[in-house]
Amino acid sequence: MAPLNSLEKEYPLIDSNFQIFCASHAIYSVEDFLLHDIDALFTSATNCSSSQKLNQGIHQLLSIIDALHPPLLNGLQLVEDARQNKHVFSTGCQGIDALIGGGLRVGQLTELVGPSSSGKTQVCLMSASTVAKHNCSVIYLDTGNSFSPQRVAHFIGQSSDYVSGNQADRRLLQNVLDRIICYPVFDVYQMFDLLHQLKNNLRSKIGKSDRHVKLLIVDSISSLITPILRGSGPQGHTLMISAGFLLKQLAHEHNITVLVTNHVVGGDDGNSKPALGESWKSVPHVRLLLSRDCGGKVCNMSIIKHPAMASGRTATSVRLFV
Amino acid sequence: MEIGMLPISASKRGKLLAAGYTTLHSIATTSITHLATDIEVSESEALEILNFATRNSALERSSGSNTNVIQGGQTAWDMLNEERFSSSITTSCADLDNILGGGINCKEVTEIGGVPGIGKTQIGIQLAVNVQIPLDYGGLGGKAIYIDTEGSFMVERVLQIAEACIEDMSEYSHHFHKDNQAYGVKMHPNSILENIFYFRVCSYTEQIALVNYLDKFVTEHKDVKIIIIDSVTFHFRQDFEDMALRTRLLGEMSLKLMKLAKNFSLAVVMLNQVTTKHVEGSFQLTLALGDSWSHSCTNRIILYWNGDERHAYIDKSPSLKSASAPYSVTSRGIRNSTSSSKRIKMV
């Protein structure tokens, strides 16, 4: 929060008298206030003149702070929330669903890791089409111009030359495709802008039940973060962790599933490991590793990390190219 | 820390934190003079910071509108309709065009890689000429930017390919407009050469500076439809001590190219070299610049030798099937392979 003197406009109790009193205890901002011993402050306030006003000022500050933190929930409320809101969405492929315990869970951040051309974007497109078919909105942040509406139309079940189809089919296809919104993002700050706008939009639309955003895909978050990582200073790391935190907050508070893709880099012993480093490892809830045999049509997926399934389980997904 | 999300320098960020501003809301509610004195910067810099911070709060206040779509997005249905009208740049080889779904697509970044001598520069030159085929003949009628890092751009060869292209076009018009004799081709090889903007870069800093400058250049020359970089690897392979810096620079360059391709609806073609990779005990040929670079393109085509023939294989694409097609390099440019097996092999 701002320095104390800027709170004076909104809260007249925090007047210059109060500020001088706080300054005598080296308190200039709300952070300093929190670090200070409150009881000692109360006792020294009673010793001063105009102690009642000072006491009121201290209470006012405490109430401002109380209004800012999120509500505390007990276990029962969490279970209720999980049962009502945190459903599971199918990815569209039975093998993947069986592997990860039913599908993508609302409120969780799922990460797909894999070398180039291992099927990450295909899984994203398939999940987007499946979720859109079930009457929910999908937001797709695309950093590599790889969002292919033709492929999505293919997955939805219509043939790619939809023009020759009948009117009802076309309208159905249009309805489903209208729910998937694609944003080209080429900058990490652009992504932050977008996510903040989404957060504001969702907060102000609580109660509107149609067209709820249920799936947010960032393909791929590693290409946005790699240019700023390990540069001069820890700024890159801060942004990466902030991004992860923001995505998880969106997922939990607004009941969205978040899917991100990441690439691999060469490790020390020659094996490939996921990019974005050690700090990113703890951010996603579910991490899945994809791989494709050279020139083959079959992709393999295995679990690196999952809160409910054993890691190391593998599945072989069906041919992705029909 | 919401301050961390503002695109400002580290020193300004430090000053903001020291003065007690840790959220965007706190900055948005102060005045410019207040902010300037608190963190000891000039008023114009304070105004800049204030603008960044208020952008977010302004969005908060205006979110009462009915639009479901945040600024900048498109629904998949609109994109599908747009795709029907977007054209592609032919490669003059029918087999190759078939596996590419018509040719090199605009709005996408395509990477083409192969061993030396397989014909990468030839494909680059052919595309620079083909993008200028007028709309009447099924082309884009656009101009080309050719960024040469290796010095392999030979003007005489471009002239040769341009002349062959014009001859093909007049033959085509002869076939289909036999009755209308006045339908002659009005293009001259010199005009084709005039529409290729050639840049020669000699170091990696020049390359990055040029990619940054391209945004301004393409805004001034709106009919540029293809950017060819031959080759994107050359300056990044020799003596780069700091690999982390290389990854960062390449990542940023690829994002800028993606942005160019999307915003101006043009095609970006990057030509890449090969290197060996140690995989499971054996050495395999892969494209250069490492694993992180392999994600910086939308499509990837690998050129290789199959016996005596040149083949192209689609390695990565969001919507095309994996397939390979033969092609050949003739004196007239890239053409169909003349071998007896004319069928495309589906992998």
Side-chain angles (χ1 to χ4, degrees), chain A residues 1 116-117 120 122 144-146 148-150 162 174 180 182-183 193 196-197 227 229-230 235 239 263-264, chain B residues 4-5 13 20 22 55 70 73-76 81 83-84 107 244 248 258 291 294-295 298 300 315 318-319:
Chain A
M1 287 183 69
S116 177
S117 183
K120 305 187 288 295
Q122 298 300 312
N145 293 341
S146 12
S148 164
Q150 266 200 339
Y162 61 92
Q174 176 172 4
I180 304 177
C182 174
Y183 297 89
D193 269 348
H196 279 131
Q197 281 185 59
L229 216 49
R230 260 184 289 134
Q235 170 67 349
L239 282 173
H263 63 270
V264 292
Chain B
M5 301 182 204
R13 209 177 305 116
T22 46
R55 214 171 41 183
I70 308 170
Q74 258 190 319
T75 62
N81 286 334
E83 258 189 20
R84 283 176 60 199
K107 285 197 184 178
R248 283 201 304 277
M258 285 281 178
D291 291 316
S294 55
H295 297 266
T298 313
R300 185 158 55 238
D315 186 49
S319 55

